[in-house]
Amino acid sequence: MEELSPNKANRFKILTVLAIAASLSLGAYMNSAKNIILEVDGKTEEISTYAETVEDLLDEEEILLDKFDYISFTLDTKLEDNMKITIKKAKLYTLAIGDVMEEINSIYTRVGDVVNDLNISLGELDYIEPALDEKLSYGDEIKITRVQEEVEEVEEVIPHESIVQKSDKLDNGTTKVIQEGEDGVKIKKLKKVFENGQLVEKILIGEEIVKEAIPKITEKGTKAVAKTSRGNVRYKSVFTMTATAYDNSYASTGKRPGEKYWGLTAMGTKARVGAVAVDPRVIPLGTKLYVESLDGTKDYGFCVAEDTGGAIKGSKIDLFFNTAGEVKRFGRRKVKVYILD
């Protein structure tokens, strides 16, 4: 075996030392790799890395973070062996509150968690779709309906009744109000339900009568016998009418003696006391009557509707007298006209 020269021996020793140093350095480098547990949206993997910081690791794994994403450590955090890094990527959803819609981002998928993440408070009556415990998919819509209730008091009129009572103290065909009617009042309590500011329902929750209605009471006459200056008169009905007077003069009839139809009634009978003119639409011709005075003067008495007159319309009656003086004295007055049986 050939012996090494002193110079060669020294070079060999130096190379050996360098080799050992390089081996030790490589071993140290190999031993500096860190095992990291990386969880992204619930999916976990183990990574061996020589990265120094969390940010370096994300660059190494080509993971991009949005401003709405969640990461369990800050980007400048130094990596340590067996460190677990959790990342939750934000999802895009649509939030609708009434007519207002907007796009939102949240790392959560359960409706209740998204609402809490956005610091949205729900009123006791508000409702949300989907339900709070439902899971969302990317792009889903969350719809919130704001509900308000108000109680309103409304005043309502209670119409009064009209009661008709028969009375034998009043003439047949006449009426008398013995009690005026008066409407009542009640207060209704209504619950008004609003959804997103729009009225959607009214519910009656109570009512209170604060004023009772008073019925109108009217008596209707049934008495069929009238006491007159000529004695008791049996009748079917009675009218209060305006009475005037006429005679056979030209001033009353427009005819002179000798002219056609002078002195005759519309029925062709002789004009006389006891023959009266009426509106046939009210009292048919030939009807037997009794005319009672209402001013204390003498009744005209029994008569028959036999004549008509151009001015005698509706509730008017024209009474025949023999002379113009009687006609003038009678004038115009109110009378009761009984339709006799």
Side-chain angles (χ1 to χ4, degrees), residues 10 16 22-23 46 171 226 321 326 328 333:
N10 288 335
T16 300
S23 177
E46 293 186 5
D171 292 338
F321 288 89
E326 290 175 293
K328 185 177 180 180
R333 63 186 70 179

Side-chain angles (χ1 to χ4, degrees), residues 239-275:
F239 300 96
T240 298
M241 306 184 81
T242 299
T244 53
Y246 76 107
D247 63 358
N248 273 330
S249 68
Y250 180 83
S252 290
T253 65
K255 295 181 177 64
R256 291 183 172 88
E259 292 185 8
K260 189 177 182 179
Y261 302 122
W262 180 87
L264 297 178
T265 67
M267 291 184 67
T269 60
K270 181 180 179 181
R272 68 199 182 283
V273 174

Side-chain angles (χ1 to χ4, degrees), residues 14-26:
I14 291 171
L15 290 174
T16 300
V17 169
L18 291 174
I20 293 172
S23 177
L24 291 173
S25 176
L26 179 61

Side-chain angles (χ1 to χ4, degrees), residues 5-240:
S5 66
N7 287 335
K8 289 184 178 180
N10 288 335
R11 284 198 302 270
F12 179 77
K13 289 178 181 180
I14 291 171
L15 290 174
T16 300
V17 169
L18 291 174
I20 293 172
S23 177
L24 291 173
S25 176
L26 179 61
Y29 178 75
M30 293 294 291
N31 288 333
S32 68
K34 292 172 279 291
N35 292 318
I36 303 298
I37 300 171
L38 183 62
E39 180 181 340
V40 180
D41 286 339
K43 296 181 179 180
T44 304
E45 64 175 319
E46 293 186 5
I47 299 172
S48 180
T49 181
Y50 296 102
E52 292 294 324
T53 65
V54 171
E55 185 176 15
D56 296 336
L57 177 64
L58 297 181
D59 291 340
E60 186 177 278
E61 296 296 322
E62 297 182 346
I63 297 174
L64 297 177
L65 289 182
D66 186 79
K67 65 178 180 179
F68 298 106
D69 295 343
Y70 166 82
I71 187 168
S72 55
F73 295 96
T74 60
L75 295 179
D76 59 356
T77 302
K78 296 292 186 181
L79 295 179
E80 297 181 2
D81 196 35
N82 296 320
M83 177 185 288
K84 182 178 180 181
I85 300 173
T86 300
I87 295 174
K88 294 180 180 179
K89 304 290 288 182
K91 287 83 177 173
L92 180 68
Y93 306 114
T94 300
L95 176 65
I97 302 179
D99 295 331
V100 179
M101 298 184 68
E102 61 177 322
E103 290 185 343
I104 59 171
N105 294 272
S106 177
I107 62 174
Y108 299 102
T109 58
R110 197 177 71 90
V111 174
D113 295 331
V114 174
V115 169
N116 290 334
D117 185 37
L118 298 173
N119 294 318
I120 296 174
S121 60
L122 296 176
E124 183 179 350
L125 301 174
D126 297 343
Y127 59 89
I128 186 169
E129 298 175 283
L132 291 173
D133 57 353
E134 292 289 324
K135 292 283 189 179
L136 296 168
S137 297
Y138 189 91
D140 280 352
E141 178 181 283
I142 300 172
K143 183 177 180 181
I144 295 175
T145 302
R146 299 293 191 187
V147 181
Q148 291 178 308
E149 291 181 349
E150 293 179 4
V151 176
E152 178 184 34
E153 291 190 352
V154 178
E155 186 176 287
E156 185 174 290
V157 173
I158 305 172
H160 66 271
E161 293 182 272
S162 291
I163 300 172
V164 178
Q165 299 175 342
K166 292 182 179 180
S167 173
D168 59 6
K169 295 180 181 179
L170 296 176
D171 292 338
N172 187 27
T174 63
T175 59
K176 180 181 179 182
V177 177
I178 62 173
Q179 178 175 279
E180 292 292 348
E182 192 173 335
D183 292 339
V185 178
K186 64 181 174 182
I187 302 296
K188 283 186 172 182
K189 287 188 177 181
L190 300 173
K191 182 170 71 174
K192 299 165 70 175
V193 182
F194 297 86
E195 291 187 356
N196 297 322
Q198 299 295 316
L199 179 64
V200 296
E201 189 176 18
K202 279 188 179 181
I203 304 168
L204 178 65
I205 59 175
E207 60 182 27
E208 177 187 1
I209 297 177
V210 295
K211 180 183 176 183
E212 294 284 352
I214 299 173
K216 178 181 180 180
I217 301 176
T218 303
E219 287 189 342
K220 183 177 181 181
T222 60
K223 184 171 71 171
V225 177
K227 294 181 180 180
T228 72
S229 61
R230 308 287 178 88
N232 292 339
V233 178
R234 294 184 63 84
Y235 64 95
K236 293 184 289 187
S237 58
V238 62
F239 300 96
T240 298

